[in-house]
Amino acid sequence: MQTPWYRQLWGFLRTRDGLGTLMIAAFSALALGVVPNMLEKLWDSGWFYLAVFLVAAVTVVLGWMLRRERGVGVVIPLFPQALTQTSRVTEMRRASAKNHASTLFIDPRLLRPGDRPLSPADRADLVTNLIDARVDEYKSSGAEGNVTLYPLAQMRDGFLLGRRLFNDQHASLTVMHSSRADERTVVPGVVLGSHLAQPLTPAQQSLVAATIPRSAPDETQAHAPTPAHSRPVAHPDCPAQHRHRLALIVRLTPVAGMTDDARHVARTGQVRRPSDATHTGYVFDESDPEAAGSPCGAHLVIESSVGQLPETREAFEAVAAHLRQTSAAAKDAWQTESGTGAVETRLFITAPLPITIAFGWLTANENISIVHHHRELLNTPAPVPDPVPGPGPGSAQATP
């Protein structure tokens, strides 16, 4: 059924573009109509007409600001269906529609063709290709503007998405953040760009110093990690063939026990805790959550000293740059200390999503992998083995 024209007109006038068009049309006519009166009253008292003209001109500019191109927003819900919070997805879509002239919503069903989930790397590829296609379509129409991402994802998907985005050339790529304090608030998280790879400014160093202590709990002050130098903690019992691995443990959100669990998994490769055999949530093999991984030769902990990081672009970008510089220094230090060739970094991380994406973007060309954490496996008890059937009542038993 076709919508009547007057309803279409009313719907358009209620939008940002419609309001801008109405303001430009009405106040342009008013401004142009005042000009002859201003000339007529030039030798009399033209102050009143001048004021009206200036108000009309300013309103025309405001109307243009409402009509100007505001780039593309891309809403990316990558959480598994069981963990997706519909309210947060709704707020991300609402924020994108408010801030941009065009919004692309990546339907999670696209990431499950034939109701079978794609691999994490394939998901990141597909999402990035969809972003590129939408941006190309938007620019081919003659429109201009920046690309802004509104992601909701687990740490692994965010990290892999950041690595994949590094290969794309965008003039500006902003990653928004859904506030933990208020799920209705969406704020700029980071802008992915070459400035993240620059040395920290004094202001950024102050932001990092206020949130991340200069030493990890099991490191001495003499070997405290700084943005310029880091010294990993060695695992003396690690087999020689695994000493080239370095575990980078990053805890920037208040997750109890995360650091201890990650240390244990990094040292032993075992995914269950030795004390009570409950699961740490870390998984090396998606097909077998109980499978052990190979241990690491050393680890480095970067841990926040505050409950929540300041949810500002300045703080997130400073911390992301700090992670990159500290991990690079730790890698160099461990390569020297262990005498191994190429160091492989394993990442255990819980952090605001924009920081994780930025860290993936910054380390896109490095030998680093992320250990996935399954929340649904966390603290689950060890599986009970099936009982071994005993001999039947009529079976014969051997005598000594």
Side-chain angles (χ1 to χ4, degrees):
M1 181 178 178
Q2 186 175 5
T3 305
W5 67 268
Y6 53 86
R7 289 189 178 179
Q8 294 182 25
L9 177 61
W10 175 243
F12 173 69
L13 292 177
R14 292 174 62 186
T15 66
R16 183 181 182 124
D17 285 348
L19 179 60
T21 301
L22 182 62
M23 292 171 63
I24 291 175
F27 286 92
S28 293
L30 177 61
L32 293 175
V34 168
V35 171
N37 293 327
M38 289 179 59
L39 296 176
E40 182 181 346
K41 296 291 185 177
L42 186 61
W43 302 107
D44 192 358
S45 176
W47 292 110
F48 172 75
Y49 294 95
L50 178 60
V52 173
F53 172 76
L54 291 176
V55 170
V58 169
T59 307
V60 170
V61 173
L62 291 176
W64 171 82
M65 292 178 64
L66 291 174
R67 287 278 298 162
R68 77 189 193 280
E69 296 295 344
R70 293 170 289 127
V72 179
V74 184
V75 182
I76 313 171
L78 288 178
F79 271 109
Q81 188 173 2
L83 300 177
T84 299
Q85 295 178 329
T86 305
S87 61
R88 295 181 68 192
V89 175
T90 301
E91 290 303 322
M92 285 295 210
R93 296 185 72 170
R94 182 178 292 118
S96 179
K98 176 183 177 182
N99 296 331
H100 307 287
S102 175
T103 293
L104 168 65
F105 174 70
I106 298 180
D107 194 321
R109 289 175 296 182
L110 294 174
L111 308 177
R112 298 180 59 90
D115 203 30
R116 292 190 301 180
L118 298 174
S119 69
D122 288 341
R123 277 199 301 270
D125 282 340
L126 178 57
V127 168
T128 307
N129 290 335
L130 290 172
I131 295 172
D132 292 342
R134 182 64 189 94
V135 171
D136 290 342
E137 178 186 8
Y138 180 75
K139 291 183 177 180
S140 66
S141 65
E144 296 182 356
N146 298 328
V147 182
T148 302
L149 307 183
Y150 294 77
L152 292 169
Q154 295 177 297
M155 294 293 98
R156 177 182 61 183
D157 286 321
F159 179 75
L160 295 177
L161 179 62
R163 289 171 70 88
R164 179 62 179 79
L165 288 169
F166 180 81
N167 297 321
D168 289 7
Q169 299 298 323
H170 295 289
S172 177
L173 194 60
T174 301
V175 180
M176 302 296 281
H177 173 64
S178 176
S179 173
R180 288 180 174 268
D182 177 9
E183 292 183 357
R184 299 180 61 86
T185 301
V186 181
V187 297
V190 299
V191 175
L192 302 180
S194 58
H195 64 286
L196 295 176
Q198 301 299 318
L200 295 180
T201 66
Q204 289 178 318
Q205 292 179 13
S206 298
L207 284 171
V208 171
T211 55
I212 299 177
R214 295 178 64 85
S215 63
D218 52 0
E219 292 173 327
T220 64
Q221 289 294 327
H223 292 158
T226 70
H229 174 76
S230 305
R231 185 175 296 276
V233 177
H235 303 157
D237 54 348
C238 179
Q241 66 268 30
H242 300 303
R243 279 180 58 80
H244 66 285
R245 293 189 183 90
L246 169 66
L248 180 63
I249 302 171
V250 180
R251 187 196 64 79
L252 301 178
T253 56
V255 179
M258 179 269 178
T259 305
D260 290 337
D261 284 346
R263 280 200 195 96
H264 164 68
V265 176
R267 282 193 176 107
T268 66
Q270 301 297 318
V271 297
R272 290 194 173 273
R273 303 181 182 102
S275 56
D276 55 7
T278 54
H279 209 293
T280 61
Y282 289 107
V283 171
F284 289 100
D285 184 351
E286 291 292 331
S287 62
D288 182 7
E290 302 296 329
S294 49
C296 298
H299 75 269
L300 176 73
V301 174
I302 303 176
E303 196 166 19
S304 172
S305 60
V306 297
Q308 297 284 357
L309 296 178
E311 295 183 318
T312 65
R313 173 187 166 185
E314 293 76 15
F316 282 6
E317 289 189 354
V319 171
H322 169 75
L323 293 182
R324 167 68 183 90
Q325 295 175 16
T326 304
S327 64
K331 179 179 176 181
D332 292 342
W334 182 239
Q335 186 170 6
T336 300
E337 181 175 343
S338 64
T340 59
V343 173
E344 175 190 343
T345 303
R346 275 189 177 164
L347 176 64
F348 300 77
I349 186 170
T350 172
L353 184 57
I355 293 178
T356 304
I357 292 175
F359 187 62
W361 190 87
L362 285 165
T363 59
N365 294 323
E366 297 184 14
N367 186 11
I368 179 171
S369 60
I370 185 169
V371 182
H372 185 44
H373 189 268
H374 282 273
R375 279 191 282 178
E376 63 271 21
L377 290 175
L378 182 63
N379 296 326
T380 56
V384 178
D386 295 332
V388 179
S395 61
Q397 297 185 4
T399 57

